DNA sequence: GCGATTAACGACCGATCGTTCTATTTTCTG
DNA sequence: CAGAAAATAGAACGATCGGTCGTTAATCGC
């Protein structure tokens, strides 16, 4: 890896944690530069604009998400094992960054701010929900879930559990947040196992 | 009402919509002043700091929330009627501000930013969830829901539905978001009606 | 209606933002 | 190793931020 690509990676790496704490908009070039240990202009030269940096951060987060959550789930056989792994890895994912999940927070931060960052968020979040629906579909295909349910409905509610977990853990500092989330998820599974 | 209080109200009114679009942090005194039609310093004189303004906005939002969501629900008899009214009014609430629910977005924006704004958000959100739990409890007391369930669990999942609805409507622009939310909510009710 | 109080203004402060420019150092390549 | 190319630094830009100041204009109580 060339020196440039090496620095680029280091920058995005730090930016990931920093923007998870301060939000994608709260992330500033200056503070990021001092944290990486280089000058503001030197860092900036790696990106065409701040928006490009933000999109790079989102891209890096998506890659990490695939490695940490999606791939472990897909390594399991389709059905309940895959669904449970998905959920447990997803709960772990929320703790991997000091400021929590970038997509959860970014989705709320940018829902009214048009531009490439919102477009990227919309795309990534859409992909994540589509992945959940696909995994639910694969569970239906092997009769682990009832095929009479709608996988989009499953993904909708699944994402709700993740979001409320995030807020209960971080803002509300609820000790039993994970337990509440597990109960919610297993109830969701149970409902989708039964024929409606 | 004195002139000062009148202006104060007008400021907070405009600030409510503006901060629902740009976030509580994205709200700037200058843009708010020009929107209200007064000078920056003239507006600022009504508040001790920007944080005080943000807290005033949150306070105003909480008051409006009580009027628009909580009171209509409490006007219904305890049980399913009250729960359904709560949910329908809550869905309406999400559309009352141009930028969506301030508490949903603010909860994610400030979960890592210590200070009086986060404290206020934590308190308001805690109160809202407590209200949901209390309404669930009142439904259990009149056997509309099974008393063997935990009302905190109910509020946890309820808030998840609201949050995922918010994102599906705003960021993802999903046309069927409300339908998905209604299905999720009625499934939640059904589960809490049955004995576990 | 007059005097005291309050509300509002305009100019300005220091800090910081994203961004641009040029110059210098470092890395890569032939 | 030399020369081209890439990476970084430093200073500076215009804009905007929250916040302060003294002053003027409007409001209010008597």
């Amino acid at each position: 890896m060339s020196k440039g690509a090496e620095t680029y990676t280091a920058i995005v790496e730090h930016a990931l944690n920093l923007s998870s704490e301060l939000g994608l908009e709260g992330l500033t070039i200056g503070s990021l530069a001092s944290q990486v240990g280089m000058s503001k202009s030197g860092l900036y030269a790696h990106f065409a604009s701040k928006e490009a940096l933000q999109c790079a951060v989102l891209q890096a987060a998506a890659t990490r998400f695939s490695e940490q959550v999606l791939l472990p789930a897909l390594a399991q056989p389709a059905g309940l094992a895959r669904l449970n792994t998905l959920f447990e890895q997803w709960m772990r994912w929320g703790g991997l960054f000091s400021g929590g999940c970038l997509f959860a927070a970014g989705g709320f931060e940018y829902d009214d701010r048009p531009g490439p960052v919102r477009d990227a968020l919309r795309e990534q979040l859409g992909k994540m929900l589509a992945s959940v629906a696909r995994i639910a579909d694969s569970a239906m295909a092997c009769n682990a879930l009832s095929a009479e349910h709608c996988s989009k409905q499953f993904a909708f509610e699944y994402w709700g559990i993740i979001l409320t977990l995030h807020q209960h853990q971080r803002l509300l500092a609820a000790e039993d947040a994970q337990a509440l989330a597990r109960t919610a998820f297993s109830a969701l599974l149970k409902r989708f196992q039964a024929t409606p």
Side-chain angles (χ1 to χ4, degrees), chain A:
Chain A
M1 184 157 58
S2 73
K3 180 74 204 307
E6 213 168 285
T7 313
Y8 182 94
T9 304
I11 292 172
V12 174
E13 198 73 12
H14 282 92
L16 259 174
N17 276 302
L18 210 53
S19 59
S20 85
E21 288 175 23
L22 308 169
L24 276 169
E25 198 63 27
L27 172 71
T28 66
I29 315 264
S31 61
L32 178 58
S34 78
Q35 185 164 328
V36 180
M38 61 190 297
S39 74
K40 209 168 60 151
S41 58
L43 184 149
Y44 191 80
H46 286 267
F47 306 90
S49 65
K50 189 190 178 182
E51 278 178 345
L53 166 63
Q54 292 167 321
C55 289
V57 169
L58 282 176
Q59 182 55 52
T63 302
R64 285 244 228 157
F65 176 79
S66 286
E67 296 166 358
Q68 301 283 331
V69 181
L70 240 41
L71 288 185
L74 293 176
Q76 298 288 322
L80 293 183
R82 181 175 293 179
L83 283 162
N84 278 313
T85 303
L86 179 75
F87 185 68
E88 288 297 326
Q89 289 300 114
W90 210 311
M91 285 209 295
R92 235 185 102 253
W93 164 258
L96 290 186
F97 301 97
S98 48
C101 175
L102 219 73
F103 301 106
F108 284 95
E109 193 179 359
Y110 277 89
D111 58 0
D112 281 307
R113 301 192 193 206
V117 182
R118 184 176 72 168
D119 296 344
L121 269 165
R122 207 194 310 250
E123 189 190 329
Q124 312 268 24
L125 230 150
K127 277 187 189 172
M128 287 168 59
L129 289 176
S131 295
V132 175
R134 204 173 330 113
I135 289 177
D137 277 326
S138 70
M140 292 176 187
C142 66
N143 289 321
L145 295 184
S146 162
E148 293 179 46
H149 286 286
C150 168
S151 65
K152 186 175 181 183
Q153 180 77 37
F154 184 89
F156 178 89
E157 299 190 34
Y158 179 92
W159 184 233
I161 298 174
I162 298 292
L163 289 175
T164 188
L165 166 65
H166 195 285
Q167 281 217 346
H168 274 76
Q169 277 186 316
R170 305 208 141 258
L171 181 68
L172 302 171
E175 311 265 347
D176 54 350
Q178 287 217 2
L180 291 165
R182 284 203 179 90
T183 300
F185 180 67
S186 74
L188 181 65
L189 281 189
K190 199 170 172 185
R191 171 156 68 90
F192 274 75
Q193 286 176 289
T195 52

